[in-house]
Amino acid sequence: MTEHETGSAAPAAADPAPAGARQWLREHSELGVAVVLLALGGLVVVDALSMSTSFAQRGPVGPRVVPLAVGGLLIAIAVALTVDVLRGGKGEAEGGEDVDLTIPPEWRTVLLLAASFIANIALIDLVGFPISGAILFWGSAYALGSRHWVRDPVIAVVLSVSAYLLFQKLLGVPLPGGPLEGI
Amino acid sequence: MDTLSNLIEGFATALTPTHLLLAALGVLLGTAIGVLPGIGPAMAVALLLPLTYSMEPTGAFIMFAGIYYGGMFGGSTTSILLNTPGETAAVVTAIEGHPMARKGRGSQALAAAAIGHFVGGIIGTTLLVLLAPMVAKMAVNIGAPDFFAIMLLAFIAVTSVLGSSRIRGFASLAIGLAIGLVGLDPMTGQARLTFGSLHLADGIDVVVVAVGLFAVGEALWVAAHLRRTTGKPIPVGRAWLSRADLSRSWRPWLRGPVIGFPFGAVPAGGAEIPTFLSYVTEKRLSKHRAEFGHGAIEGVAGPESTASASAAGTLTAMLTLGLPTTATAAVMLAAFQQYGIQPGPLLFQRESQLVWALIASLFVGTVLLLVLNLPMAPLWSKLLRIPRAYLYAGILFFASVGAYAVSGDVLDLVLLLVIGLLGFMMRRFGLPVLPAIIGVILGPNAEQQLRRALQISDGNLSGLVNTTFSVTVYAIIAVILLWPLIGKAITRTRTRTPESVR
């Protein structure tokens, strides 16, 4: 399940009727959105309240007012959304050209994509963009079901190296070069 | 005649070889990326932003204008040949365009779309030239309370007019506003939501937010539901029109901008509503009404011209008021801010040369679009066959390049992933993305106007409503907010039956 669903699914295990409760939570997984909104709202409010406003206030409205309003809005919407979901309201999942909503979501694909993404984050400053970018592309293509053992890595490396050269040399936007540094 | 001389000067800037090349490059890239399934114009502009980091602003915006117009056109190609519109503006085109393609009239549908874009673009841009300086001149005199009212209107309109659920629209907006809060308070320098991070003190870069929500969120969402059997695009030849087609198309082409331009300029979701209105109008006015639903060319010509003119209307609001009415305009506004340029009434005075070069390049781009796309339609349709694995891997790849290039900090990539997951959640649970991006971009601006207005009135709340303009805007906001109630009241008095539960 998604990360926001696991959060609300955890207490289900302690429930006396786990199967029924799990079913109920699955149908009301949108409550996870309300949890996210509530958490975000709480964070904004706490941050605003912990701000010291004694110094440098210019004008009648200090730096805390708008964050408090936004935090309050988030919390209010979290409540309203909870009510809406419990009354049977449902957000419509977004369709699209390549989206097939009739099949159940494939979390494996999403996790593998996130893993490729995180690999790029972890490696980019260590081994440079040409290598980490190629890993990102190949990993993502693999996650999405491409299994060409020669074509995939070749495309990944060519794309990564040419993107590096394009940005570094032609456009003057610096990227960490790794082994290509200084060429 | 001031306008005319400005425009001529603009053409002088836009027609230099470098700028002409950038416009052509923008149109080609925009069309190519717009044709690619799954990528709409907003994502196209967001992904291509990093290409312009090292360019001077005029060249960069000339290229963006090309990308915007090209991306809008590219979406219609997908609609016609694959029956899968990549963006809301092209949804209506699919209704008649795809049946035409199936009947072997794909070339004619593409030509009607391309010429429709040309006509709509030229008329729309002409209206922009005539109206924008006037609007800007009027808007110069409006003050902080008026700006705050306009931005509030944008927030309310974007959450209420579009989408099926207001709560979810507001949820999206609030998320965007919260993201916009991150960083140092511009008026006092107080750190807000930075958690001690120096990088966050600069705020979360709008490019990271836009790319995260549009590109990463979309790629993850599509990946979770990837269609295993992708539709086969219908092959087409060179786009052309017969005399009979022409005589059926020219009126819809000319009617389109009348509907499209005003709708593009107001924050009601860009091209979605006007293209639908245009379709309905053409259906009603057509002599071939029976053909509608089975490939009537009027149903392609009208909406495409409307969509193109609405893009010009959108740019009018964005340039003169700093008000983004569509996702693409929001991303372009972010691009302006990247250069330290704030679109708004003063833009026409401060950056006169840049604005007029941009406007002139819209004309240039529209012409280039027609010249390039009529003969290149078969080539574009080949792009529809790209393996989906490479397409979405490529989106993630370029999203990462773009986010990293913003400031060369890995933290931006982490933020990109977090915002991408947020975008995934929003798509899964029907939260529209547009209010969030509008919140991120306009939020900080609205706060500043609010505080400035209250500073002037010394904290008195009446300082927010002390102009006729702001009172009018608040009245409009009230009508939008109360509209469901008003609508209910009307139907109730009309039918005198108890309202049914939805």
Side-chain angles (χ1 to χ4, degrees), chain B residues 4-224:
Chain B
L4 194 63
S5 63
N6 277 331
L7 186 63
I8 290 169
E9 211 168 296
F11 269 109
T13 318
L15 288 175
T16 56
T18 326
H19 288 156
L20 208 54
L21 195 71
L22 285 173
L25 202 64
V27 167
L28 281 176
L29 276 174
T31 314
I33 293 189
V35 168
L36 285 177
I39 307 186
M43 203 209 283
V45 178
L47 283 175
L48 293 171
L49 253 178
L51 288 182
T52 59
Y53 281 168
S54 54
M55 284 183 197
E56 40 91 37
T58 311
F61 285 108
I62 286 177
M63 197 168 144
F64 275 133
I67 293 169
Y68 186 16
Y69 275 23
M72 295 276 294
F73 173 77
S76 60
T77 308
T78 336
S79 262
I80 292 168
L81 299 181
L82 209 54
N83 196 23
T84 48
E87 30 120 14
T88 48
V91 171
V92 174
T93 308
I95 305 176
E96 298 302 328
H98 190 64
M100 279 183 79
R102 268 204 314 250
K103 278 186 183 166
R105 285 174 34 87
S107 315
Q108 284 81 352
L110 286 177
I115 302 174
H117 260 269
F118 174 76
V119 175
I122 293 289
I123 297 179
T125 312
T126 308
L127 287 172
L128 183 142
V129 168
L130 296 176
L131 291 176
M134 263 158 48
V135 177
K137 205 170 277 171
M138 274 192 302
V140 163
N141 297 321
I142 69 177
D146 308 310
F147 271 116
F148 179 68
I150 295 181
M151 286 171 190
L152 212 56
L153 174 65
F155 291 152
I156 302 293
V158 88
T159 47
S160 299
V161 177
L162 276 182
S164 47
S165 162
R166 270 191 189 196
I167 300 175
R168 290 167 182 81
F170 273 107
S172 169
L173 174 69
I175 291 173
L177 289 174
I179 295 174
L181 285 175
V182 176
L184 297 182
D185 168 32
M187 291 182 115
T188 64
Q190 275 272 25
R192 298 197 293 201
L193 293 168
T194 60
F195 311 105
S197 155
L198 273 179
H199 186 73
L200 285 180
D202 291 336
I204 299 178
D205 199 283
V206 183
V207 175
V208 175
V209 182
V211 173
L213 283 179
F214 288 115
V216 179
E218 178 78 14
L220 292 176
W221 172 239
V222 174

Side-chain angles (χ1 to χ4, degrees), chain A residues 50-130:
Chain A
S50 64
M51 222 180 277
S52 63
T53 47
S54 49
F55 73 99
Q57 172 148 348
R58 283 169 49 202
V61 183
R64 287 163 71 163
V65 177
V66 172
L68 284 177
V70 172
L73 184 69
L74 277 163
I75 294 169
I77 292 166
V79 174
L81 186 65
T82 309
V83 173
D84 185 69
V85 172
L86 290 179
R87 276 186 180 169
K90 250 198 168 74
E92 234 176 276
E94 194 183 271
E97 290 170 309
D98 289 335
V99 174
D100 185 355
L101 288 173
T102 55
I103 54 171
E106 290 169 46
W107 300 114
R108 205 182 87 99
T109 310
V110 178
L111 285 178
L112 279 173
L113 282 181
S116 317
F117 206 94
I118 292 167
N120 177 43
I121 294 174
L123 292 174
I124 189 165
D125 282 341
L126 287 176
V127 298
F129 177 76

Side-chain angles (χ1 to χ4, degrees), chain B residues 3 28 99 140 183 217 256 287 296 367 390 445 481 502:
Chain B
T3 305
L28 281 176
V140 163
K287 285 180 206 142
V367 175
Y390 293 154
N445 216 332
L481 278 180
R502 346 173 240 134

